[in-house]
Amino acid sequence: MAAQTIPVFDFSAYNLNRNTPDAETYQKLIDDIDNAFQQSANFFTLPTETKVKYSRPDNSNHGYVAIGSECLSANRPGDYKESFNYIPLKGEANTKIFPNEEVPKFSQALTTLYQECIQLINRILEVVGRGLPIEDPLLFVKAHEGLNSEANMSTLRTVWYPPIQDDDLKTDQIRCGEHVDYGSITLVFQDDKGGLQMACEDGSFIDVKPEKGGVFVNLGYLMERWTSDTLKARVHRVVNPESSEIKKQARQSLICFVNPDKACIIKCVDRSNKYPPITSMDFLNMKFGEVYQNFQTD
Ligand SMILES: O=C(O)CCC(=O)C(=O)O
Ligand SMILES: [Fe+2]
């Protein structure tokens, strides 16, 4: 079988009659990603007792998640990573669970990037819709109209993979265990350390090489179900670096986990009813419950 590679797309070719981003807009996005990395580093290098003050409560996906508390692969110990999730909340709550005193520019960096991601998300969702034999090519875009409001639980997550000393790790513990994402699409902006890998059809893994100014786009279980398995959600993971030099450095990524609006009914687009209809929220609660105990969103 020919070796598999990750396809690289330039979405400007699919401009869908809208203006393609000019150099200035593109540069602003790159600067905003760099800024989100920087503000995140300022947060993650705070003492643990400060970070846990901003921990994610059981009834929400917003806030800090400590090392080892998420276990994405049932065959491994908890992931060797920590993260901070942002989901838009109503009014003041939107900035409340942020370390505003310790890292005053953190909340602004994440909220700005979240808004910028929405444009890219809509473009990708439209391309996906136009690539399938469905009546309304805007079906996926319309199902995400509540982005940036409480009607939608898409999440921007900033992840910090701390430097590794081998004796810190449990047997088989890696930065992020093998898993499939849950929602519709996922955008991953990664720094230059590498380690993200994606499974091929034969079960082997290939590197998703970091690309400055590039974004890795992945599909989740929900999109697979929605398209009756026509579009596949792929297993991926983040492995520990082999090089002792890179191991000593933290790795960072910024991930936008995109989900349809909570009330949106996910019904197979080919009308096959291969999977029974389910709301986006029920589907995601079911999936989150497999990773976090006691998880139930409002
Ligand atoms: O950090 C990365 O590059 C990807 C991590 C990931 O796949 C996830 O958290 O779902
Ligand atoms: Fe993932």
Side-chain angles (χ1 to χ4, degrees):
M1 197 196 334
Q4 290 200 332
T5 52
I6 311 263
V8 176
F9 295 101
D10 176 356
F11 270 91
S12 55
Y14 299 87
N15 74 32
L16 306 171
N17 300 326
R18 285 193 296 271
N19 293 332
T20 49
D22 54 39
E24 209 176 304
T25 312
Y26 182 61
Q27 188 56 47
K28 180 173 179 317
L29 175 62
I30 307 245
D31 292 346
D32 287 341
I33 291 168
D34 286 345
N35 183 40
F37 276 136
Q38 183 55 55
Q39 298 308 325
S40 301
N42 294 346
F43 172 71
F44 288 113
T45 49
L46 291 171
T48 305
E49 57 272 26
T50 309
K51 290 185 282 191
V52 295
K53 286 199 292 183
Y54 305 101
S55 291
R56 179 186 75 77
D58 279 341
N59 66 346
S60 158
N61 199 22
H62 182 102
Y64 174 66
V65 182
I67 297 184
S69 39
E70 227 181 60
C71 190
L72 288 189
S73 163
N75 302 325
R76 296 183 182 275
D79 296 343
Y80 201 70
K81 68 172 188 220
E82 49 191 314
S83 52
F84 188 98
N85 296 337
Y86 165 69
I87 49 167
L89 301 170
K90 231 188 238 143
E92 263 188 29
N94 202 35
T95 47
K96 219 172 82 192
I97 315 183
F98 269 108
N100 292 321
E101 274 181 27
E102 297 88 345
V103 190
K105 295 184 181 156
F106 187 46
S107 81
Q108 181 71 46
L110 294 192
T111 50
T112 303
L113 186 58
Y114 186 101
Q115 274 157 37
E116 284 173 328
C117 282
I118 292 175
Q119 294 176 38
L120 180 58
I121 291 163
N122 283 331
R123 180 168 285 210
I124 295 169
L125 289 172
E126 186 171 343
V127 171
V128 173
R130 290 190 186 278
L132 289 172
I134 53 177
E135 232 165 69
D136 181 3
L138 294 180
L139 177 100
F140 299 121
V141 176
K142 289 177 186 162
H144 293 72
E145 267 170 357
L147 275 166
N148 210 18
S149 79
E150 287 218 327
N152 184 293
M153 56 197 261
S154 296
T155 306
L156 177 62
R157 157 176 280 200
T158 172
V159 195
W160 178 262
Y161 298 90
I164 297 176
Q165 281 172 345
D166 285 328
D167 47 7
D168 292 342
L169 294 179
K170 299 184 181 140
T171 309
D172 291 336
Q173 190 172 30
I174 60 172
R175 284 185 151 167
C176 178
E178 293 78 4
H179 68 284
V180 170
D181 293 340
Y182 307 144
S184 47
I185 60 172
T186 308
L187 310 180
V188 183
F189 303 95
Q190 51 170 334
D191 71 7
D192 58 358
K193 307 297 184 318
L196 177 60
Q197 295 186 328
M198 174 124 149
C200 303
E201 270 157 28
D202 64 4
S204 63
F205 280 86
I206 48 172
D207 290 328
V208 180
K209 295 209 171 73
E211 184 111 17
K212 179 82 183 162
V215 58
F216 174 59
V217 181
N218 208 353
L219 303 180
Y221 272 133
L222 190 143
M223 187 57 99
E224 191 174 272
R225 179 184 175 116
W226 215 352
T227 62
S228 313
D229 303 320
T230 303
L231 299 180
K232 298 272 187 281
R234 285 296 185 98
V235 172
H236 53 286
R237 67 183 180 189
V238 181
V239 292
N240 306 331
E242 280 170 21
S243 140
S244 53
E245 259 328 290
I246 301 182
K247 245 187 203 171
K248 283 189 232 152
Q249 299 168 32
R251 173 181 187 268
Q252 285 186 265
S253 61
L254 292 158
I255 310 179
C256 197
F257 294 103
V258 183
N259 306 312
D261 298 346
K262 292 179 192 173
C264 174
I265 295 170
I266 308 304
K267 204 169 159 190
C268 294
V269 291
D270 62 358
R271 300 169 195 253
S272 66
N273 269 335
K274 184 168 181 185
Y275 300 102
I278 184 169
T279 64
S280 169
M281 188 159 101
D282 285 347
F283 181 80
L284 293 166
N285 276 339
M286 187 174 80
K287 287 288 172 196
F288 282 133
E290 292 168 11
V291 177
Y292 298 120
Q293 282 177 350
N294 307 327
F295 187 89
Q296 189 67 42
T297 48
D298 301 330

mmCIF file of all heavy atoms in Angstrom, residues 33-71:
data_model
loop_
_atom_site.group_PDB
_atom_site.id
_atom_site.type_symbol
_atom_site.label_atom_id
_atom_site.label_comp_id
_atom_site.label_asym_id
_atom_site.label_seq_id
_atom_site.Cartn_x
_atom_site.Cartn_y
_atom_site.Cartn_z
ATOM 1 N N ILE A 33 -2.362 34.146 17.423
ATOM 2 C CA ILE A 33 -2.020 32.782 17.861
ATOM 3 C C ILE A 33 -0.764 32.851 18.738
ATOM 4 O O ILE A 33 -0.717 32.277 19.828
ATOM 5 C CB ILE A 33 -1.806 31.862 16.635
ATOM 6 C CG1 ILE A 33 -3.137 31.627 15.925
ATOM 7 C CG2 ILE A 33 -1.180 30.530 17.066
ATOM 8 C CD1 ILE A 33 -3.017 30.988 14.569
ATOM 9 N N ASP A 34 0.249 33.598 18.277
ATOM 10 C CA ASP A 34 1.484 33.734 19.070
ATOM 11 C C ASP A 34 1.174 34.335 20.440
ATOM 12 O O ASP A 34 1.705 33.908 21.463
ATOM 13 C CB ASP A 34 2.504 34.617 18.337
ATOM 14 C CG ASP A 34 3.134 33.868 17.166
ATOM 15 O OD1 ASP A 34 2.997 32.626 17.115
ATOM 16 O OD2 ASP A 34 3.737 34.517 16.293
ATOM 17 N N ASN A 35 0.297 35.339 20.443
ATOM 18 C CA ASN A 35 -0.054 35.988 21.705
ATOM 19 C C ASN A 35 -0.782 35.004 22.636
ATOM 20 O O ASN A 35 -0.499 34.952 23.843
ATOM 21 C CB ASN A 35 -0.937 37.218 21.409
ATOM 22 C CG ASN A 35 -1.287 37.971 22.668
ATOM 23 O OD1 ASN A 35 -0.455 38.138 23.552
ATOM 24 N ND2 ASN A 35 -2.539 38.415 22.766
ATOM 25 N N ALA A 36 -1.678 34.197 22.060
ATOM 26 C CA ALA A 36 -2.396 33.214 22.893
ATOM 27 C C ALA A 36 -1.397 32.195 23.461
ATOM 28 O O ALA A 36 -1.518 31.768 24.614
ATOM 29 C CB ALA A 36 -3.489 32.522 22.081
ATOM 30 N N PHE A 37 -0.396 31.811 22.680
ATOM 31 C CA PHE A 37 0.643 30.906 23.197
ATOM 32 C C PHE A 37 1.384 31.580 24.357
ATOM 33 O O PHE A 37 1.632 30.973 25.396
ATOM 34 C CB PHE A 37 1.661 30.550 22.099
ATOM 35 C CG PHE A 37 1.244 29.396 21.205
ATOM 36 C CD1 PHE A 37 1.417 29.460 19.828
ATOM 37 C CD2 PHE A 37 0.706 28.237 21.747
ATOM 38 C CE1 PHE A 37 1.052 28.386 19.004
ATOM 39 C CE2 PHE A 37 0.333 27.158 20.926
ATOM 40 C CZ PHE A 37 0.509 27.244 19.556
ATOM 41 N N GLN A 38 1.747 32.844 24.169
ATOM 42 C CA GLN A 38 2.528 33.556 25.178
ATOM 43 C C GLN A 38 1.747 33.730 26.484
ATOM 44 O O GLN A 38 2.240 33.444 27.575
ATOM 45 C CB GLN A 38 2.954 34.925 24.608
ATOM 46 C CG GLN A 38 3.837 35.724 25.544
ATOM 47 C CD GLN A 38 5.073 34.942 25.991
ATOM 48 O OE1 GLN A 38 5.832 34.468 25.145
ATOM 49 N NE2 GLN A 38 5.251 34.757 27.303
ATOM 50 N N GLN A 39 0.477 34.176 26.355
ATOM 51 C CA GLN A 39 -0.345 34.393 27.561
ATOM 52 C C GLN A 39 -0.608 33.061 28.265
ATOM 53 O O GLN A 39 -0.667 32.987 29.490
ATOM 54 C CB GLN A 39 -1.673 35.077 27.211
ATOM 55 C CG GLN A 39 -1.528 36.467 26.605
ATOM 56 C CD GLN A 39 -0.657 37.384 27.452
ATOM 57 O OE1 GLN A 39 -0.676 37.314 28.686
ATOM 58 N NE2 GLN A 39 0.120 38.242 26.802
ATOM 59 N N SER A 40 -0.758 32.000 27.461
ATOM 60 C CA SER A 40 -0.972 30.677 28.053
ATOM 61 C C SER A 40 0.262 30.250 28.828
ATOM 62 O O SER A 40 0.159 29.712 29.941
ATOM 63 C CB SER A 40 -1.247 29.631 26.962
ATOM 64 O OG SER A 40 -2.369 29.996 26.213
ATOM 65 N N ALA A 41 1.454 30.484 28.250
ATOM 66 C CA ALA A 41 2.696 30.117 28.942
ATOM 67 C C ALA A 41 2.769 30.872 30.266
ATOM 68 O O ALA A 41 3.172 30.309 31.298
ATOM 69 C CB ALA A 41 3.901 30.431 28.062
ATOM 70 N N ASN A 42 2.342 32.145 30.267
ATOM 71 C CA ASN A 42 2.350 32.924 31.516
ATOM 72 C C ASN A 42 1.444 32.269 32.568
ATOM 73 O O ASN A 42 1.740 32.278 33.756
ATOM 74 C CB ASN A 42 1.876 34.363 31.272
ATOM 75 C CG ASN A 42 2.845 35.140 30.403
ATOM 76 O OD1 ASN A 42 3.980 34.710 30.185
ATOM 77 N ND2 ASN A 42 2.410 36.279 29.869
ATOM 78 N N PHE A 43 0.330 31.713 32.110
ATOM 79 C CA PHE A 43 -0.577 31.048 33.050
ATOM 80 C C PHE A 43 -0.008 29.714 33.528
ATOM 81 O O PHE A 43 0.064 29.449 34.733
ATOM 82 C CB PHE A 43 -1.954 30.830 32.407
ATOM 83 C CG PHE A 43 -2.864 29.983 33.251
ATOM 84 C CD1 PHE A 43 -3.409 30.471 34.436
ATOM 85 C CD2 PHE A 43 -3.156 28.664 32.887
ATOM 86 C CE1 PHE A 43 -4.221 29.677 35.242
ATOM 87 C CE2 PHE A 43 -3.965 27.871 33.687
ATOM 88 C CZ PHE A 43 -4.507 28.377 34.865
ATOM 89 N N PHE A 44 0.415 28.871 32.588
ATOM 90 C CA PHE A 44 0.807 27.508 32.981
ATOM 91 C C PHE A 44 2.080 27.467 33.823
ATOM 92 O O PHE A 44 2.324 26.488 34.520
ATOM 93 C CB PHE A 44 0.943 26.619 31.738
ATOM 94 C CG PHE A 44 -0.388 26.273 31.114
ATOM 95 C CD1 PHE A 44 -0.732 26.749 29.859
ATOM 96 C CD2 PHE A 44 -1.305 25.483 31.798
ATOM 97 C CE1 PHE A 44 -1.960 26.444 29.286
ATOM 98 C CE2 PHE A 44 -2.539 25.171 31.238
ATOM 99 C CZ PHE A 44 -2.870 25.653 29.981
ATOM 100 N N THR A 45 2.890 28.533 33.765
ATOM 101 C CA THR A 45 4.102 28.538 34.583
ATOM 102 C C THR A 45 3.847 29.119 35.983
ATOM 103 O O THR A 45 4.770 29.277 36.771
ATOM 104 C CB THR A 45 5.252 29.292 33.861
ATOM 105 O OG1 THR A 45 4.749 30.552 33.402
ATOM 106 C CG2 THR A 45 5.764 28.516 32.665
ATOM 107 N N LEU A 46 2.583 29.412 36.302
ATOM 108 C CA LEU A 46 2.228 29.838 37.673
ATOM 109 C C LEU A 46 2.271 28.613 38.593
ATOM 110 O O LEU A 46 2.162 27.468 38.115
ATOM 111 C CB LEU A 46 0.796 30.403 37.697
ATOM 112 C CG LEU A 46 0.535 31.740 36.997
ATOM 113 C CD1 LEU A 46 -0.974 32.001 36.947
ATOM 114 C CD2 LEU A 46 1.255 32.881 37.706
ATOM 115 N N PRO A 47 2.381 28.823 39.912
ATOM 116 C CA PRO A 47 2.366 27.670 40.828
ATOM 117 C C PRO A 47 1.033 26.917 40.733
ATOM 118 O O PRO A 47 -0.021 27.528 40.488
ATOM 119 C CB PRO A 47 2.501 28.322 42.216
ATOM 120 C CG PRO A 47 2.868 29.747 41.982
ATOM 121 C CD PRO A 47 2.514 30.115 40.584
ATOM 122 N N THR A 48 1.112 25.594 40.956
ATOM 123 C CA THR A 48 -0.096 24.752 40.842
ATOM 124 C C THR A 48 -1.231 25.266 41.730
ATOM 125 O O THR A 48 -2.396 25.301 41.309
ATOM 126 C CB THR A 48 0.237 23.291 41.229
ATOM 127 O OG1 THR A 48 1.319 22.892 40.404
ATOM 128 C CG2 THR A 48 -0.924 22.358 41.032
ATOM 129 N N GLU A 49 -0.885 25.704 42.956
ATOM 130 C CA GLU A 49 -1.972 26.128 43.871
ATOM 131 C C GLU A 49 -2.716 27.352 43.318
ATOM 132 O O GLU A 49 -3.880 27.570 43.621
ATOM 133 C CB GLU A 49 -1.474 26.344 45.308
ATOM 134 C CG GLU A 49 -0.353 27.330 45.511
ATOM 135 C CD GLU A 49 1.050 26.700 45.372
ATOM 136 O OE1 GLU A 49 1.190 25.677 44.675
ATOM 137 O OE2 GLU A 49 2.007 27.272 45.930
ATOM 138 N N THR A 50 -2.055 28.141 42.482
ATOM 139 C CA THR A 50 -2.755 29.275 41.863
ATOM 140 C C THR A 50 -3.641 28.767 40.731
ATOM 141 O O THR A 50 -4.809 29.144 40.592
ATOM 142 C CB THR A 50 -1.725 30.282 41.277
ATOM 143 O OG1 THR A 50 -0.784 30.591 42.291
ATOM 144 C CG2 THR A 50 -2.400 31.549 40.782
ATOM 145 N N LYS A 51 -3.088 27.861 39.923
ATOM 146 C CA LYS A 51 -3.851 27.386 38.758
ATOM 147 C C LYS A 51 -5.125 26.647 39.180
ATOM 148 O O LYS A 51 -6.171 26.826 38.553
ATOM 149 C CB LYS A 51 -2.963 26.464 37.903
ATOM 150 C CG LYS A 51 -1.862 27.241 37.199
ATOM 151 C CD LYS A 51 -1.053 26.374 36.256
ATOM 152 C CE LYS A 51 -0.051 25.519 36.977
ATOM 153 N NZ LYS A 51 0.914 24.856 36.083
ATOM 154 N N VAL A 52 -5.024 25.842 40.249
ATOM 155 C CA VAL A 52 -6.209 25.059 40.631
ATOM 156 C C VAL A 52 -7.371 25.934 41.118
ATOM 157 O O VAL A 52 -8.512 25.491 41.128
ATOM 158 C CB VAL A 52 -5.902 23.938 41.656
ATOM 159 C CG1 VAL A 52 -4.985 22.888 41.061
ATOM 160 C CG2 VAL A 52 -5.320 24.494 42.944
ATOM 161 N N LYS A 53 -7.070 27.179 41.451
ATOM 162 C CA LYS A 53 -8.174 28.090 41.838
ATOM 163 C C LYS A 53 -9.135 28.297 40.657
ATOM 164 O O LYS A 53 -10.274 28.697 40.826
ATOM 165 C CB LYS A 53 -7.604 29.465 42.227
ATOM 166 C CG LYS A 53 -6.910 29.483 43.568
ATOM 167 C CD LYS A 53 -6.782 30.917 44.107
ATOM 168 C CE LYS A 53 -5.827 31.764 43.285
ATOM 169 N NZ LYS A 53 -5.573 33.102 43.715
ATOM 170 N N TYR A 54 -8.631 28.046 39.459
ATOM 171 C CA TYR A 54 -9.451 28.278 38.252
ATOM 172 C C TYR A 54 -9.885 26.966 37.617
ATOM 173 O O TYR A 54 -10.115 26.883 36.417
ATOM 174 C CB TYR A 54 -8.665 29.158 37.260
ATOM 175 C CG TYR A 54 -8.223 30.425 37.928
ATOM 176 C CD1 TYR A 54 -6.921 30.592 38.397
ATOM 177 C CD2 TYR A 54 -9.148 31.443 38.169
ATOM 178 C CE1 TYR A 54 -6.544 31.737 39.078
ATOM 179 C CE2 TYR A 54 -8.776 32.587 38.857
ATOM 180 C CZ TYR A 54 -7.474 32.729 39.309
ATOM 181 O OH TYR A 54 -7.122 33.859 39.992
ATOM 182 N N SER A 55 -9.979 25.910 38.448
ATOM 183 C CA SER A 55 -10.297 24.576 37.921
ATOM 184 C C SER A 55 -11.692 24.517 37.316
ATOM 185 O O SER A 55 -12.624 25.187 37.778
ATOM 186 C CB SER A 55 -10.210 23.535 39.024
ATOM 187 O OG SER A 55 -8.870 23.385 39.404
ATOM 188 N N ARG A 56 -11.810 23.648 36.340
ATOM 189 C CA ARG A 56 -13.100 23.407 35.670
ATOM 190 C C ARG A 56 -14.074 22.758 36.661
ATOM 191 O O ARG A 56 -13.765 21.710 37.230
ATOM 192 C CB ARG A 56 -12.843 22.437 34.511
ATOM 193 C CG ARG A 56 -14.040 22.037 33.715
ATOM 194 C CD ARG A 56 -13.666 20.960 32.704
ATOM 195 N NE ARG A 56 -13.488 19.663 33.320
ATOM 196 C CZ ARG A 56 -14.490 18.871 33.715
ATOM 197 N NH1 ARG A 56 -15.737 19.252 33.564
ATOM 198 N NH2 ARG A 56 -14.231 17.704 34.251
ATOM 199 N N PRO A 57 -15.247 23.365 36.903
ATOM 200 C CA PRO A 57 -16.215 22.710 37.791
ATOM 201 C C PRO A 57 -16.868 21.519 37.076
ATOM 202 O O PRO A 57 -16.798 21.421 35.858
ATOM 203 C CB PRO A 57 -17.247 23.804 38.062
ATOM 204 C CG PRO A 57 -17.057 24.841 37.018
ATOM 205 C CD PRO A 57 -15.725 24.645 36.378
ATOM 206 N N ASP A 58 -17.511 20.629 37.857
ATOM 207 C CA ASP A 58 -18.108 19.442 37.247
ATOM 208 C C ASP A 58 -19.205 19.772 36.239
ATOM 209 O O ASP A 58 -19.468 18.994 35.336
ATOM 210 C CB ASP A 58 -18.728 18.542 38.341
ATOM 211 C CG ASP A 58 -17.658 17.696 39.018
ATOM 212 O OD1 ASP A 58 -16.571 17.546 38.428
ATOM 213 O OD2 ASP A 58 -17.922 17.199 40.127
ATOM 214 N N ASN A 59 -19.881 20.924 36.438
ATOM 215 C CA ASN A 59 -21.040 21.194 35.576
ATOM 216 C C ASN A 59 -20.709 22.102 34.397
ATOM 217 O O ASN A 59 -21.585 22.692 33.798
ATOM 218 C CB ASN A 59 -22.170 21.815 36.398
ATOM 219 C CG ASN A 59 -21.777 23.187 36.914
ATOM 220 O OD1 ASN A 59 -20.605 23.551 36.871
ATOM 221 N ND2 ASN A 59 -22.757 23.941 37.379
ATOM 222 N N SER A 60 -19.437 22.252 34.080
ATOM 223 C CA SER A 60 -19.088 23.121 32.953
ATOM 224 C C SER A 60 -17.785 22.618 32.347
ATOM 225 O O SER A 60 -17.016 21.904 32.984
ATOM 226 C CB SER A 60 -18.920 24.558 33.449
ATOM 227 O OG SER A 60 -18.134 25.295 32.562
ATOM 228 N N ASN A 61 -17.544 23.034 31.121
ATOM 229 C CA ASN A 61 -16.289 22.622 30.491
ATOM 230 C C ASN A 61 -15.282 23.762 30.514
ATOM 231 O O ASN A 61 -14.254 23.702 29.866
ATOM 232 C CB ASN A 61 -16.566 22.175 29.050
ATOM 233 C CG ASN A 61 -15.433 21.328 28.519
ATOM 234 O OD1 ASN A 61 -14.674 20.737 29.282
ATOM 235 N ND2 ASN A 61 -15.303 21.300 27.213
ATOM 236 N N HIS A 62 -15.584 24.832 31.265
ATOM 237 C CA HIS A 62 -14.712 26.005 31.262
ATOM 238 C C HIS A 62 -13.755 25.969 32.450
ATOM 239 O O HIS A 62 -14.188 25.787 33.580
ATOM 240 C CB HIS A 62 -15.582 27.275 31.317
ATOM 241 C CG HIS A 62 -14.798 28.542 31.281
ATOM 242 N ND1 HIS A 62 -14.680 29.304 30.149
ATOM 243 C CD2 HIS A 62 -14.076 29.162 32.234
ATOM 244 C CE1 HIS A 62 -13.914 30.354 30.415
ATOM 245 N NE2 HIS A 62 -13.539 30.289 31.681
ATOM 246 N N GLY A 63 -12.475 26.162 32.214
ATOM 247 C CA GLY A 63 -11.530 26.251 33.324
ATOM 248 C C GLY A 63 -10.325 25.341 33.181
ATOM 249 O O GLY A 63 -10.113 24.700 32.148
ATOM 250 N N TYR A 64 -9.546 25.295 34.261
ATOM 251 C CA TYR A 64 -8.246 24.601 34.273
ATOM 252 C C TYR A 64 -8.415 23.094 34.500
ATOM 253 O O TYR A 64 -9.232 22.665 35.322
ATOM 254 C CB TYR A 64 -7.400 25.215 35.397
ATOM 255 C CG TYR A 64 -6.095 24.509 35.633
ATOM 256 C CD1 TYR A 64 -5.090 24.515 34.660
ATOM 257 C CD2 TYR A 64 -5.861 23.817 36.819
ATOM 258 C CE1 TYR A 64 -3.881 23.856 34.882
ATOM 259 C CE2 TYR A 64 -4.655 23.165 37.045
ATOM 260 C CZ TYR A 64 -3.676 23.189 36.073
ATOM 261 O OH TYR A 64 -2.491 22.539 36.279
ATOM 262 N N VAL A 65 -7.633 22.306 33.804
ATOM 263 C CA VAL A 65 -7.630 20.844 33.962
ATOM 264 C C VAL A 65 -6.187 20.421 34.249
ATOM 265 O O VAL A 65 -5.288 20.692 33.449
ATOM 266 C CB VAL A 65 -8.162 20.136 32.687
ATOM 267 C CG1 VAL A 65 -8.206 18.625 32.892
ATOM 268 C CG2 VAL A 65 -9.550 20.658 32.299
ATOM 269 N N ALA A 66 -5.963 19.792 35.414
ATOM 270 C CA ALA A 66 -4.587 19.506 35.857
ATOM 271 C C ALA A 66 -3.979 18.275 35.177
ATOM 272 O O ALA A 66 -4.697 17.476 34.571
ATOM 273 C CB ALA A 66 -4.597 19.301 37.373
ATOM 274 N N ILE A 67 -2.675 18.137 35.329
ATOM 275 C CA ILE A 67 -1.940 17.011 34.734
ATOM 276 C C ILE A 67 -2.532 15.676 35.186
ATOM 277 O O ILE A 67 -2.821 15.495 36.365
ATOM 278 C CB ILE A 67 -0.448 17.021 35.173
ATOM 279 C CG1 ILE A 67 0.244 18.266 34.668
ATOM 280 C CG2 ILE A 67 0.288 15.766 34.689
ATOM 281 C CD1 ILE A 67 1.727 18.307 34.971
ATOM 282 N N GLY A 68 -2.706 14.778 34.249
ATOM 283 C CA GLY A 68 -3.135 13.411 34.562
ATOM 284 C C GLY A 68 -4.627 13.266 34.792
ATOM 285 O O GLY A 68 -5.130 12.152 34.926
ATOM 286 N N SER A 69 -5.392 14.386 34.819
ATOM 287 C CA SER A 69 -6.809 14.219 35.162
ATOM 288 C C SER A 69 -7.665 13.855 33.953
ATOM 289 O O SER A 69 -8.844 13.535 34.106
ATOM 290 C CB SER A 69 -7.374 15.433 35.886
ATOM 291 O OG SER A 69 -6.896 16.611 35.372
ATOM 292 N N GLU A 70 -7.097 13.891 32.786
ATOM 293 C CA GLU A 70 -7.859 13.474 31.616
ATOM 294 C C GLU A 70 -7.193 12.230 31.063
ATOM 295 O O GLU A 70 -5.984 12.195 30.902
ATOM 296 C CB GLU A 70 -7.787 14.584 30.572
ATOM 297 C CG GLU A 70 -9.101 14.902 29.990
ATOM 298 C CD GLU A 70 -8.965 15.979 28.951
ATOM 299 O OE1 GLU A 70 -8.238 15.792 27.960
ATOM 300 O OE2 GLU A 70 -9.576 17.016 29.158
ATOM 301 N N CYS A 71 -7.994 11.244 30.748
ATOM 302 C CA CYS A 71 -7.417 9.992 30.264
ATOM 303 C C CYS A 71 -8.059 9.681 28.918
ATOM 304 O O CYS A 71 -9.146 9.129 28.857
ATOM 305 C CB CYS A 71 -7.724 8.915 31.293
ATOM 306 S SG CYS A 71 -6.837 7.411 30.952
#
